[in-house]
Amino acid sequence: MDMKTDKKKLGLKEKYKLLTRDLGWETTYHTADEVFPYVKYEGIKVHDWGKWEDPFRLTMDAYWKYQAEKERKYYAIIDAHAQNNGHLHITDARYLSALKLFVQAISPGEYAAGKGFARLGREFPGVGPRVACQMQAIDEIRHAQTQIHAMSNYNKFYNGFHAFADARDRMWYCSLPRSFFDDALSAGPFEFMIAIGFSFEYVLTNLLFVPFMSGAAYNGDMATVTFGFSAQSDEARHMTLGLECIKFMLEQDPDNLPIVQRWIDKWFWRGFRILGVVGTMMDYMLPKRVMSWREAFEIYGAGNGGALFNDLARYGVRLPLEWNDAVKALDHMTHQLNLGLYQWSFGTAFHTGIPSDEDMAWLSKKYPDTFDKYYRPRWEHIKKLKEAGTPFVNTGLAKLCQVCQIPTPYTEPDDPTALCLRESEYKGELYHFCSDGCQRIFHDEPEKYIQAVLPMPQLFQPPLGGDIGAWMNWVGLKNGVDNGDYDGSEDQKNFAAWRATATSNQ
Ligand code: FE
Ligand code: ZN
């Protein structure tokens, strides 16, 4: 017998309420403070968690349905890519350096974000943010997985992919993003939200996924385009969650503003430092380029970021302290970082190379004020050294920034011919920094940053004891195979040979 019901179907709003807000309860046999011990110590005052507006009224059942659909599409394309020899359809195997850097340095960050959001899903008392954080935790794990799966096909044919997990923990250039995520994961829940929800999602992923994924499309990399689209469709939700959290803090109590502003200052600069890697991939690693890093920053950084800060101005939020330093760095950062990667390329699990004449013409067109003046002469010099059989290698160990952990390759904001170095003494020890921003961040929380594990000093710890060969084993780097110039590498030779068999009767 059919049961008569009052209503055939729940309305979306009602269903959402039952499946999210109504899942919460008031604590009885423990106090709320005991159950949520981390939510107060950062100093953020929240008077009413019920005021949290959920930007996406997404319930768990709808979430699984959407994500499952995306997974089906994603794996269908990945499968087709593998079966159609997708690894031969890229413009050139030198493109893969960008992907190697991505899987070593960025994908583990997705996983770290997943861990962090799982923690936030437990630590926030409000039901609205808890559900949203739980969904984002699952998203981030999925991003790490889809990225690793997409790249596993390249790993069958090319070098440098195999030890990405060791690289994440031990490689010097990976410590830039690793330290970013370690810093965020060891912060309180609200700061984590600004670090990831604002800095990583808002400042970084727009620049990472949109221009970088179109770079992948331009270079015939179907696998990366597919994970990019699959992840990017989650990003709108993630960015909104971060922004919602910022607005919520600012609306709950005026005392929250200085704390939030300090985090925005800090995480903008930490995010901008990671963008150096992303920009270098765009300017130097793509055989076929979509737009320069500078152009991407103008659209996604200055354009979208500027609009965001206009929106936040009504709460009293101003632009991040180092915004102007960032703008001044735009025409220099990628050139300086790429010169660093080239001279230390015996220690990179990807290939670098001297830009071709055609590349240099493009760079001077995109950076008319700086490339020909400061950077072309250096590449011409490096080219001559290589032709003379004495390629330029820097075996000196770089000074590392105690905060962002890069080997201080950048110049003064107002003088592109002087290296930017800062020093501070703290409790009798001397610490180095790459910039005013990183030095300021250090002085806000010195006890946190003096504990940082830095890759260069690690080289001299047991069991490595300064032995470069032992270090290479330790980071999973195969010398003469994974590292050095693309020119003459196994990747280059294999790609040329395989392409020849695919396009001729050889
Ligand atoms: Fe993600
Ligand atoms: Zn730094």
Side-chain angles (χ1 to χ4, degrees):
M1 194 182 90
D2 284 347
M3 292 276 283
K4 277 242 182 301
T5 50
D6 292 348
K7 252 191 195 167
K8 278 200 186 101
K9 235 179 160 188
L10 288 172
L12 210 65
K13 225 176 158 180
E14 207 176 339
K15 189 173 163 190
Y16 175 77
K17 188 173 168 291
L18 287 169
L19 285 168
T20 55
R21 297 291 171 95
D22 275 15
L23 297 175
W25 65 88
E26 296 297 324
T27 57
T28 49
Y29 55 92
H30 279 291
T31 65
D33 284 351
E34 285 171 328
V35 177
F36 303 106
Y38 300 110
V39 83
K40 282 188 179 157
Y41 83 94
E42 296 170 282
I44 292 291
K45 293 177 185 161
V46 175
H47 304 289
D48 184 2
W49 279 100
K51 288 257 164 60
W52 180 285
E53 277 305 324
D54 307 8
F56 291 90
R57 302 197 179 281
L58 191 60
T59 54
M60 268 297 167
D61 59 339
Y63 173 80
W64 290 115
K65 210 175 89 191
Y66 292 141
Q67 299 303 80
E69 180 62 27
K70 283 203 293 190
E71 290 285 275
R72 270 194 295 276
K73 285 183 181 152
Y74 166 81
Y75 281 101
I77 297 174
I78 290 299
D79 194 33
H81 176 260
Q83 294 197 28
N84 280 303
N85 290 325
H87 67 284
L88 294 180
H89 299 154
I90 49 177
T91 45
D92 189 64
R94 106 179 139 102
Y95 157 77
L96 296 172
S97 282
L99 277 198
K100 294 170 193 177
L101 191 50
F102 195 100
V103 75
Q104 294 162 15
I106 307 291
S107 302
E110 302 271 18
Y111 190 78
K115 283 202 289 189
F117 276 103
R119 200 193 84 196
L120 256 57
R122 169 64 185 84
E123 286 179 5
F124 275 147
V127 182
R130 295 179 72 172
V131 171
C133 287
Q134 210 180 337
M135 285 176 191
Q136 186 161 349
I138 303 165
D139 290 339
E140 302 295 5
I141 301 260
R142 195 178 73 85
H143 295 175
Q145 286 171 342
T146 50
Q147 288 164 20
I148 292 163
H149 285 166
M151 289 184 227
S152 67
N153 190 50
Y154 292 114
N155 180 46
K156 289 184 203 157
F157 303 99
Y158 301 103
N159 300 314
F161 286 98
H162 65 284
F164 75 92
D166 284 336
R168 181 267 174 196
D169 287 340
R170 298 169 176 179
M171 261 300 183
W172 55 277
Y173 51 86
C174 294
S175 75
L176 169 65
R178 177 181 53 74
S179 68
F180 176 103
F181 284 99
D182 285 353
D183 193 348
L185 283 167
S186 53
F190 285 107
E191 188 183 345
F192 178 86
M193 204 55 162
I194 298 230
I196 309 301
F198 160 72
S199 175
F200 191 69
E201 301 292 350
Y202 221 101
V203 182
L204 278 161
T205 53
N206 268 329
L207 275 158
L208 198 57
F209 281 99
V210 184
F212 184 70
M213 294 312 150
S214 34
Y218 261 51
N219 287 281
D221 178 8
M222 228 21 223
T224 297
V225 172
T226 308
F227 80 63
F229 277 139
S230 181
Q232 188 59 27
S233 53
D234 294 332
E235 301 304 345
R237 184 155 34 81
H238 299 175
M239 285 189 273
T240 315
L241 178 60
L243 197 58
E244 204 51 44
C245 185
I246 293 182
K247 289 183 176 169
F248 177 71
M249 286 187 267
L250 295 168
E251 279 166 9
Q252 282 290 308
D253 200 293
D255 288 352
N256 294 338
L257 175 62
I259 306 175
V260 170
Q261 182 72 58
R262 185 162 48 83
W263 288 336
I264 287 179
D265 291 341
K266 168 181 171 179
W267 289 100
F268 169 76
W269 189 245
R270 294 224 62 176
F272 189 71
R273 275 298 180 242
I274 298 186
L275 283 177
V277 175
V278 179
T280 304
M281 294 198 272
M282 293 177 68
D283 280 348
Y284 282 92
M285 295 183 183
L286 303 181
K288 224 171 133 80
R289 287 168 289 252
V290 188
M291 59 169 84
S292 66
W293 141 251
R294 181 187 232 294
E295 289 165 326
F297 188 85
E298 271 160 11
I299 301 170
Y300 300 102
N304 295 4
L308 167 73
F309 284 105
N310 282 341
D311 187 25
L312 291 175
R314 67 191 145 109
Y315 298 100
V317 172
R318 50 153 178 75
L319 278 175
L321 276 178
E322 277 80 25
W323 182 270
N324 286 335
D325 285 353
V327 172
K328 285 176 191 169
L330 290 181
D331 283 335
H332 299 281
M333 184 162 72
T334 59
H335 314 298
Q336 294 173 356
L337 185 59
N338 198 57
L339 277 159
L341 294 175
Y342 178 82
Q343 59 187 280
W344 289 304
S345 75
F346 61 91
T348 61
F350 55 82
H351 297 299
T352 57
I354 298 170
S356 67
D357 292 344
E358 192 200 325
D359 291 337
M360 288 208 252
W362 184 87
L363 287 163
S364 69
K365 203 171 87 198
K366 295 296 179 185
Y367 295 93
D369 299 334
T370 56
F371 186 76
D372 286 343
K373 192 170 173 196
Y374 301 106
Y375 304 107
R376 183 191 286 273
R378 292 186 216 181
W379 286 117
E380 299 292 359
H381 177 68
I382 288 171
K383 208 158 109 183
K384 268 193 215 128
L385 289 175
K386 193 185 170 188
E387 280 160 7
T390 51
F392 182 56
V393 177
N394 185 347
T395 51
L397 288 185
K399 245 178 213 176
L400 295 181
C401 176
Q402 189 72 23
V403 171
C404 75
Q405 305 205 359
I406 51 163
T408 59
Y410 299 127
T411 52
E412 290 287 346
D414 293 308
D415 183 0
T417 62
L419 267 188
C420 186
L421 292 169
R422 299 287 180 269
E423 286 181 353
S424 291
E425 214 183 283
Y426 182 76
K427 289 188 175 168
E429 288 273 345
L430 191 64
Y431 296 95
H432 307 291
F433 310 98
C434 72
S435 56
D436 292 330
C438 284
Q439 190 178 35
R440 183 180 49 72
I441 293 167
F442 176 87
H443 284 291
D444 272 342
E445 297 167 275
E447 289 295 324
K448 182 172 197 176
Y449 296 105
I450 58 173
Q451 300 174 56
V453 176
L454 298 176
M456 299 293 170
Q458 274 196 330
L459 179 58
F460 294 97
Q461 304 290 317
L464 303 180
D467 179 345
I468 294 283
W471 174 80
M472 285 181 174
N473 284 339
W474 185 63
V475 298
L477 178 73
K478 283 189 231 144
N479 192 24
V481 178
D482 298 330
N483 54 0
D485 255 35
Y486 175 66
D487 226 8
S489 68
E490 197 174 76
D491 275 2
Q492 186 209 26
K493 288 177 196 154
N494 282 342
F495 184 72
W498 295 333
R499 270 289 270 265
T501 56
T503 55
S504 71
N505 297 313
Q506 281 179 27

